[in-house]
Amino acid sequence: MIPVEYFLALAAILFAIGAYGVMTKVNTILVLMSIELMLNAANINFVVFSGFLGDAMGQVFVLMVISVAAAEVAVGIAILLNAYKIKKTTEVTALTSMRW
Amino acid sequence: MMFIEYTWLVPLIPAICFLIVGFFGNMFDKRHGGGFLAIAGVAVSCVLSVLISAEFFMSSAYVDVGYVAKSFTWFAFPGGFDINIGYYVDTLSCLMMMFASFISMLILIYSLGYMSEEGKRKQRYFAEVALFVTGMLGLAVSNNFLMMFIFWEVMGLCSYLLIGFWSFSHPEGDDASDNAASAAKKAFLVTRLGDVSLMAGLFILLFAFKSLDYTVVFDAASIAAVDHNLIVLASLLIFGGAIGKSAQFPLLDWLPDAMAGPTTVSALIHAATMVKAGVYLVARCFPIFTEASGVMLFVAVIGGFTAFFAATMAMNNMNIKKVLAYSTLSQLGYMFLALGAGGYMIAIGMESGNTALIAAGSVGYVAGCLHMVNHAFFKALLFLGSGSVIHSTGTEDMREMGGLESKMKVTSITMLIGSLSIAGFPFFAGFWSKDLILEQVLHAGDYGAAGWVFIVLWLLAVVTAFMTAFYMFRMWYMTFRGPMHKKSEHSHGESPRSMTIPLMVLSVFAFGFGFVLFFGFDSLLSIQIIGGQFRMGGMESGGAHYLVEFFTNVWTYVTIALVLLAIYLAKNMYELGKIDPARFNGDGESWLYKALTERWWFPQLYDQLSWKLGYGVARGVEFIDSNIIDGSVNGLSNAVAGSGELVSKAQTGDVNNYASAVIGGLIVLFVAVVALFVFMGGL
């Protein structure tokens, strides 16, 4: 049996990679992908704790998170497509019109 | 008590007329703008006043206490202050009611002719005059100081409105209407100074007596219970109100300017209402004024000095109305002088328990009141007469008149009677009251430490009597005798009946009213002090005794001689041209002449004061307003806007930055939570 700490470390590393991506990537697609990484890191935590505690509720939550993430990506990409139509770019540094 | 119960109707009827005429005057009376209704209303008030007075003099109340008062609580406020509303009838209010309503009625009748060319604006004129009369009659019948003050202010308002009657379109053009507007403003503002003082006095009275009712304030027991100094202070402040309203020194300058209004309004202000209110106030407040002889001395000094001071300015004025205006100031000064001298003797008599002196002071009071009524008659007559001349010639400048006697018989004769009366020509009304005043002032000089002041005032008053006769006859000769000038050649001749009949009626009174002195007038208006309590009326009448007193007194003959000399001088100067007036004034170049035409630089003084003082204060206030108050508000809003601007820069719009901020915040939170756990001894 693999100790639970290994899974947690994996999830933490995944989360950190995702966070790093969100903070640094200029391409919006990559940012969305990084967000996906962070969500999945959380999902791994859910599954690990679910197994560790013997409670199925964690796995139910994972299903919930996956469906929400799918919907979120669908909306995100739709927005991105429209932004691309107007701005002819997908770089987040160019999409800054909602500020002061 | 048939009519006295209805005393409240005396001011109410003109008030109702004011409303009806003011709103509907032109509807029911196109030709006169509701003038007839106003006349009828004032006439009813006049008749009612006479009936009330007659009933009062025959009632037991007159004999017992000297007044009838009725009051209802109007409102009350904590601390035991009750403010009442009601009426107070005594000899003084009867006198005021009767002459004010009678003369106002005559002036209104005269106005029908004088204002005939005013068209639709007559409605406004008659309404405002009716309100003016309401103010005066209300003042006369008020039973407490607050009610009196309200009517006092109503008169202030009406004088403003009527002096500025032509401020929108003067028959003589825009300059004249500007002049009327500024004269109205001046009258309002200058009398306001006095009113503030009066109000302060009333607050002190309210504080001291917990009531403003005459019956309380004038009650010997309540006066004795109040701090003497408070009463003196209140008296002086109340007299300040009288100074403003009666245009005494130093608040005298508004009255000559008020000549910018229609002549009928001048007559109304000078004879029947407004300026008489100040005299009435002093006469009314005798029980508290006589608490200190110093207050009465002050009244006399102000009066005596104004009498002289104003008379000097009438000496060389070319405007027929302004000469009369200055003479009003001067005559009002006489009234205050008489009241002051009488009150001074009463005050000293009360201190020393000398009843004979109190009786002598009472004569001074009678002299002041008699002169007030006499003045009302002859000044109304003179103003209406000058109005008739102005109406006919279209000018107010006496240099453009002259020789009008042949064209205006009635006006010239009635004005001659008025002039003789004001000049104090023997047996005319003004003679009796003026001589009585002079005699009283001289008499007051014998008593007290400040007696010598009265000797000085008496000298001034005698000189003033000479000047009065001179300037009045200067006016009369310049207007009606002497060579005819262009304007008088083109005059319309005698004025219509509605104007001449009031003149004739008034001239009868201007000649004959003085004789009431021998028929019990002095008894009605006498002051008796019974056990420290003032009461009006009831003293034994002097009757023919006064005649003896007058004509055995050498000073009477001196004054008569001075008056005759003045008339003779005026005749030689202005009718016959034997003496050239230029000899006395260096062709109008001497400093005295200039000082007089410049009104002793009083308007400039006012202007300077208001400019320097008012403008300085205004500038200071403006500085505080725009820099400190506005500055702090603007600074606050700028600080908010600026810091918002600054902080808004954090909103880059860059998703990465937001994400970094969120994660950074998360890390900080995490570290903090962990640190807290460790610190608290967890893990």
Side-chain angles (χ1 to χ4, degrees), chain B residues 313-355:
Chain B
M313 291 185 280
M315 301 277 283
N316 70 347
N317 210 299
M318 293 301 175
N319 184 312
I320 186 166
K321 280 173 77 182
K322 290 212 168 148
V323 171
L324 292 174
Y326 287 119
S327 80
T328 300
L329 295 174
S330 175
Q331 301 300 313
L332 286 167
Y334 268 122
M335 293 166 214
F336 282 115
L337 180 58
L339 292 176
Y344 179 79
M345 287 192 276
I346 291 177
I348 297 216
M350 278 169 78
E351 275 165 27
S352 58
N354 184 345
T355 47

Short mmCIF file of all heavy atoms in Angstrom, two decimals, chain B residues 313-355:
data_model
loop_
_atom_site.label_atom_id
_atom_site.label_comp_id
_atom_site.label_asym_id
_atom_site.label_seq_id
_atom_site.Cartn_x
_atom_site.Cartn_y
_atom_site.Cartn_z
N MET B 313 -30.81 121.75 8.73
CA MET B 313 -30.77 121.23 7.38
C MET B 313 -31.97 121.67 6.55
O MET B 313 -31.92 121.67 5.31
CB MET B 313 -30.67 119.71 7.40
CG MET B 313 -29.35 119.23 7.93
SD MET B 313 -29.16 117.46 7.83
CE MET B 313 -30.06 116.92 9.25
N ALA B 314 -33.04 122.07 7.23
CA ALA B 314 -34.22 122.55 6.49
C ALA B 314 -34.00 123.97 5.98
O ALA B 314 -34.71 124.43 5.10
CB ALA B 314 -35.45 122.50 7.39
N MET B 315 -33.00 124.64 6.54
CA MET B 315 -32.86 126.08 6.26
C MET B 315 -32.57 126.39 4.80
O MET B 315 -32.97 127.43 4.29
CB MET B 315 -31.72 126.66 7.10
CG MET B 315 -31.91 126.48 8.57
SD MET B 315 -32.92 127.73 9.27
CE MET B 315 -31.77 129.07 9.34
N ASN B 316 -31.81 125.53 4.12
CA ASN B 316 -31.44 125.90 2.76
C ASN B 316 -31.83 124.86 1.73
O ASN B 316 -31.33 124.87 0.63
CB ASN B 316 -29.93 126.18 2.67
CG ASN B 316 -29.13 124.92 2.82
OD1 ASN B 316 -29.67 123.90 3.22
ND2 ASN B 316 -27.87 124.99 2.50
N ASN B 317 -32.71 123.93 2.12
CA ASN B 317 -33.09 122.91 1.15
C ASN B 317 -34.05 123.48 0.12
O ASN B 317 -34.91 124.29 0.44
CB ASN B 317 -33.72 121.73 1.87
CG ASN B 317 -33.47 120.45 1.13
OD1 ASN B 317 -33.88 120.31 -0.02
ND2 ASN B 317 -32.77 119.54 1.76
N MET B 318 -33.89 123.08 -1.12
CA MET B 318 -34.71 123.62 -2.19
C MET B 318 -35.90 122.74 -2.52
O MET B 318 -36.75 123.10 -3.30
CB MET B 318 -33.86 123.79 -3.47
CG MET B 318 -32.79 124.82 -3.32
SD MET B 318 -33.50 126.42 -2.93
CE MET B 318 -32.01 127.36 -2.67
N ASN B 319 -35.92 121.55 -1.93
CA ASN B 319 -36.99 120.62 -2.24
C ASN B 319 -38.12 120.81 -1.23
O ASN B 319 -37.91 120.68 -0.02
CB ASN B 319 -36.44 119.20 -2.18
CG ASN B 319 -37.46 118.18 -2.59
OD1 ASN B 319 -38.59 118.20 -2.13
ND2 ASN B 319 -37.05 117.29 -3.48
N ILE B 320 -39.30 121.11 -1.72
CA ILE B 320 -40.40 121.48 -0.81
C ILE B 320 -40.72 120.35 0.16
O ILE B 320 -41.01 120.57 1.34
CB ILE B 320 -41.65 121.90 -1.63
CG1 ILE B 320 -42.75 122.42 -0.72
CG2 ILE B 320 -42.17 120.78 -2.48
CD1 ILE B 320 -43.84 123.14 -1.48
N LYS B 321 -40.61 119.11 -0.33
CA LYS B 321 -40.94 117.99 0.55
C LYS B 321 -39.83 117.75 1.57
O LYS B 321 -40.11 117.32 2.69
CB LYS B 321 -41.16 116.73 -0.28
CG LYS B 321 -42.52 116.68 -0.91
CD LYS B 321 -42.63 115.50 -1.85
CE LYS B 321 -42.82 114.22 -1.08
NZ LYS B 321 -42.87 113.07 -2.01
N LYS B 322 -38.60 118.01 1.15
CA LYS B 322 -37.51 117.73 2.10
C LYS B 322 -37.50 118.75 3.23
O LYS B 322 -37.16 118.42 4.36
CB LYS B 322 -36.17 117.72 1.37
CG LYS B 322 -36.08 116.50 0.49
CD LYS B 322 -34.69 115.96 0.34
CE LYS B 322 -34.77 114.59 -0.30
NZ LYS B 322 -33.65 114.26 -1.14
N VAL B 323 -37.87 119.98 2.92
CA VAL B 323 -38.00 120.97 3.99
C VAL B 323 -38.98 120.45 5.03
O VAL B 323 -38.73 120.48 6.24
CB VAL B 323 -38.47 122.32 3.43
CG1 VAL B 323 -38.81 123.28 4.56
CG2 VAL B 323 -37.42 122.91 2.53
N LEU B 324 -40.10 119.93 4.54
CA LEU B 324 -41.11 119.42 5.46
C LEU B 324 -40.59 118.19 6.21
O LEU B 324 -40.89 117.99 7.39
CB LEU B 324 -42.38 119.08 4.70
CG LEU B 324 -43.11 120.30 4.14
CD1 LEU B 324 -44.26 119.86 3.27
CD2 LEU B 324 -43.61 121.16 5.27
N ALA B 325 -39.80 117.38 5.51
CA ALA B 325 -39.26 116.19 6.17
C ALA B 325 -38.36 116.58 7.34
O ALA B 325 -38.47 116.04 8.43
CB ALA B 325 -38.49 115.34 5.17
N TYR B 326 -37.49 117.56 7.08
CA TYR B 326 -36.61 117.99 8.18
C TYR B 326 -37.41 118.62 9.29
O TYR B 326 -37.08 118.47 10.47
CB TYR B 326 -35.56 118.96 7.66
CG TYR B 326 -34.50 118.29 6.84
CD1 TYR B 326 -34.30 118.61 5.52
CD2 TYR B 326 -33.72 117.29 7.40
CE1 TYR B 326 -33.33 117.97 4.77
CE2 TYR B 326 -32.75 116.65 6.67
CZ TYR B 326 -32.56 117.00 5.35
OH TYR B 326 -31.61 116.35 4.62
N SER B 327 -38.47 119.34 8.93
CA SER B 327 -39.26 119.94 9.99
C SER B 327 -39.93 118.85 10.82
O SER B 327 -40.08 119.00 12.03
CB SER B 327 -40.28 120.91 9.42
OG SER B 327 -41.39 120.23 8.93
N THR B 328 -40.29 117.73 10.19
CA THR B 328 -40.86 116.63 10.97
C THR B 328 -39.85 116.12 11.99
O THR B 328 -40.17 115.93 13.17
CB THR B 328 -41.25 115.46 10.05
OG1 THR B 328 -42.19 115.91 9.12
CG2 THR B 328 -41.83 114.33 10.85
N LEU B 329 -38.62 115.91 11.51
CA LEU B 329 -37.58 115.45 12.44
C LEU B 329 -37.47 116.40 13.61
O LEU B 329 -37.40 115.99 14.77
CB LEU B 329 -36.24 115.39 11.72
CG LEU B 329 -36.10 114.38 10.59
CD1 LEU B 329 -34.78 114.56 9.90
CD2 LEU B 329 -36.21 113.01 11.16
N SER B 330 -37.45 117.67 13.26
CA SER B 330 -37.27 118.68 14.28
C SER B 330 -38.43 118.68 15.28
O SER B 330 -38.23 118.74 16.49
CB SER B 330 -37.14 120.03 13.57
OG SER B 330 -37.08 121.05 14.47
N GLN B 331 -39.65 118.57 14.74
CA GLN B 331 -40.81 118.58 15.65
C GLN B 331 -40.87 117.32 16.50
O GLN B 331 -41.26 117.35 17.66
CB GLN B 331 -42.11 118.74 14.85
CG GLN B 331 -42.18 120.00 14.03
CD GLN B 331 -42.08 121.25 14.87
OE1 GLN B 331 -42.73 121.36 15.89
NE2 GLN B 331 -41.24 122.18 14.45
N LEU B 332 -40.46 116.20 15.91
CA LEU B 332 -40.41 114.97 16.71
C LEU B 332 -39.41 115.14 17.84
O LEU B 332 -39.61 114.67 18.96
CB LEU B 332 -40.00 113.79 15.84
CG LEU B 332 -41.06 113.27 14.88
CD1 LEU B 332 -40.43 112.32 13.88
CD2 LEU B 332 -42.15 112.55 15.63
N GLY B 333 -38.32 115.84 17.52
CA GLY B 333 -37.35 116.13 18.55
C GLY B 333 -37.97 116.91 19.70
O GLY B 333 -37.74 116.62 20.87
N TYR B 334 -38.83 117.88 19.34
CA TYR B 334 -39.56 118.62 20.38
C TYR B 334 -40.37 117.69 21.27
O TYR B 334 -40.42 117.85 22.48
CB TYR B 334 -40.52 119.62 19.74
CG TYR B 334 -39.95 121.00 19.52
CD1 TYR B 334 -39.90 121.56 18.25
CD2 TYR B 334 -39.50 121.75 20.59
CE1 TYR B 334 -39.40 122.83 18.05
CE2 TYR B 334 -39.00 123.01 20.40
CZ TYR B 334 -38.95 123.56 19.13
OH TYR B 334 -38.46 124.80 18.95
N MET B 335 -41.04 116.73 20.61
CA MET B 335 -41.89 115.83 21.40
C MET B 335 -41.05 115.03 22.39
O MET B 335 -41.40 114.88 23.56
CB MET B 335 -42.63 114.87 20.48
CG MET B 335 -43.65 115.53 19.61
SD MET B 335 -44.16 114.40 18.33
CE MET B 335 -44.44 115.54 16.99
N PHE B 336 -39.91 114.51 21.89
CA PHE B 336 -39.06 113.74 22.81
C PHE B 336 -38.49 114.63 23.90
O PHE B 336 -38.34 114.21 25.04
CB PHE B 336 -37.94 113.05 22.04
CG PHE B 336 -38.39 111.82 21.32
CD1 PHE B 336 -38.36 111.77 19.94
CD2 PHE B 336 -38.87 110.73 22.01
CE1 PHE B 336 -38.79 110.64 19.27
CE2 PHE B 336 -39.30 109.60 21.35
CZ PHE B 336 -39.26 109.56 19.98
N LEU B 337 -38.20 115.86 23.51
CA LEU B 337 -37.69 116.80 24.50
C LEU B 337 -38.72 117.02 25.60
O LEU B 337 -38.40 117.00 26.79
CB LEU B 337 -37.34 118.11 23.80
CG LEU B 337 -36.80 119.25 24.67
CD1 LEU B 337 -35.55 118.81 25.38
CD2 LEU B 337 -36.50 120.47 23.80
N ALA B 338 -39.98 117.19 25.17
CA ALA B 338 -41.03 117.42 26.16
C ALA B 338 -41.21 116.20 27.05
O ALA B 338 -41.29 116.31 28.28
CB ALA B 338 -42.35 117.74 25.45
N LEU B 339 -41.27 115.02 26.41
CA LEU B 339 -41.44 113.81 27.21
C LEU B 339 -40.25 113.61 28.15
O LEU B 339 -40.41 113.23 29.31
CB LEU B 339 -41.59 112.59 26.30
CG LEU B 339 -42.88 112.53 25.47
CD1 LEU B 339 -42.86 111.34 24.55
CD2 LEU B 339 -44.09 112.47 26.37
N GLY B 340 -39.06 113.90 27.61
CA GLY B 340 -37.87 113.74 28.43
C GLY B 340 -37.87 114.69 29.61
O GLY B 340 -37.59 114.29 30.75
N ALA B 341 -38.23 115.95 29.36
CA ALA B 341 -38.25 116.93 30.45
C ALA B 341 -39.29 116.54 31.49
O ALA B 341 -39.03 116.57 32.70
CB ALA B 341 -38.52 118.32 29.91
N GLY B 342 -40.48 116.18 31.00
CA GLY B 342 -41.55 115.78 31.93
C GLY B 342 -41.14 114.56 32.73
O GLY B 342 -41.30 114.51 33.95
N GLY B 343 -40.60 113.57 32.01
CA GLY B 343 -40.22 112.34 32.70
C GLY B 343 -39.10 112.56 33.70
O GLY B 343 -39.08 111.96 34.77
N TYR B 344 -38.20 113.47 33.33
CA TYR B 344 -37.10 113.80 34.23
C TYR B 344 -37.64 114.36 35.54
O TYR B 344 -37.23 113.95 36.63
CB TYR B 344 -36.20 114.81 33.53
CG TYR B 344 -35.02 115.29 34.33
CD1 TYR B 344 -33.88 114.51 34.46
CD2 TYR B 344 -35.03 116.55 34.93
CE1 TYR B 344 -32.80 114.96 35.17
CE2 TYR B 344 -33.95 117.00 35.65
CZ TYR B 344 -32.83 116.20 35.77
OH TYR B 344 -31.75 116.65 36.47
N MET B 345 -38.60 115.26 35.40
CA MET B 345 -39.17 115.85 36.63
C MET B 345 -39.93 114.79 37.43
O MET B 345 -39.85 114.77 38.67
CB MET B 345 -40.08 117.02 36.27
CG MET B 345 -39.28 118.23 35.83
SD MET B 345 -40.26 119.71 35.72
CE MET B 345 -40.97 119.56 34.11
N ILE B 346 -40.64 113.91 36.72
CA ILE B 346 -41.37 112.86 37.44
C ILE B 346 -40.39 111.96 38.16
O ILE B 346 -40.58 111.59 39.34
CB ILE B 346 -42.24 112.05 36.46
CG1 ILE B 346 -43.39 112.92 35.95
CG2 ILE B 346 -42.80 110.81 37.14
CD1 ILE B 346 -44.25 112.24 34.93
N ALA B 347 -39.30 111.59 37.46
CA ALA B 347 -38.32 110.68 38.07
C ALA B 347 -37.72 111.30 39.32
O ALA B 347 -37.62 110.65 40.36
CB ALA B 347 -37.23 110.34 37.06
N ILE B 348 -37.36 112.58 39.21
CA ILE B 348 -36.77 113.24 40.37
C ILE B 348 -37.81 113.40 41.47
O ILE B 348 -37.52 113.20 42.66
CB ILE B 348 -36.18 114.60 39.95
CG1 ILE B 348 -35.06 114.36 38.97
CG2 ILE B 348 -35.72 115.39 41.17
CD1 ILE B 348 -33.90 115.28 39.06
N GLY B 349 -39.03 113.71 41.06
CA GLY B 349 -40.11 113.85 42.04
C GLY B 349 -40.36 112.55 42.77
O GLY B 349 -40.63 112.53 43.97
N MET B 350 -40.25 111.41 42.06
CA MET B 350 -40.48 110.13 42.71
C MET B 350 -39.35 109.79 43.68
O MET B 350 -39.58 109.22 44.74
CB MET B 350 -40.59 109.02 41.65
CG MET B 350 -41.96 108.93 41.04
SD MET B 350 -41.96 107.86 39.61
CE MET B 350 -41.96 106.27 40.37
N GLU B 351 -38.13 110.17 43.29
CA GLU B 351 -37.01 109.89 44.18
C GLU B 351 -37.13 110.67 45.48
O GLU B 351 -36.85 110.16 46.56
CB GLU B 351 -35.69 110.26 43.50
CG GLU B 351 -35.13 109.18 42.60
CD GLU B 351 -34.06 109.72 41.69
OE1 GLU B 351 -33.39 110.72 42.04
OE2 GLU B 351 -33.89 109.15 40.59
N SER B 352 -37.54 111.97 45.33
CA SER B 352 -37.55 112.83 46.51
C SER B 352 -38.92 112.94 47.14
O SER B 352 -39.08 113.66 48.11
CB SER B 352 -37.03 114.22 46.11
OG SER B 352 -37.84 114.74 45.08
N GLY B 353 -39.91 112.24 46.56
CA GLY B 353 -41.26 112.31 47.13
C GLY B 353 -41.91 113.67 46.96
O GLY B 353 -42.77 114.06 47.75
N ASN B 354 -41.52 114.40 45.94
CA ASN B 354 -42.05 115.73 45.72
C ASN B 354 -43.24 115.65 44.78
O ASN B 354 -43.09 115.53 43.56
CB ASN B 354 -40.92 116.60 45.12
CG ASN B 354 -41.34 118.04 44.94
OD1 ASN B 354 -42.53 118.35 45.00
ND2 ASN B 354 -40.36 118.89 44.74
N THR B 355 -44.45 115.68 45.32
CA THR B 355 -45.63 115.49 44.48
C THR B 355 -45.86 116.66 43.53
O THR B 355 -46.35 116.48 42.43
CB THR B 355 -46.89 115.28 45.33
OG1 THR B 355 -46.89 116.29 46.34
CG2 THR B 355 -46.91 113.91 45.94
#
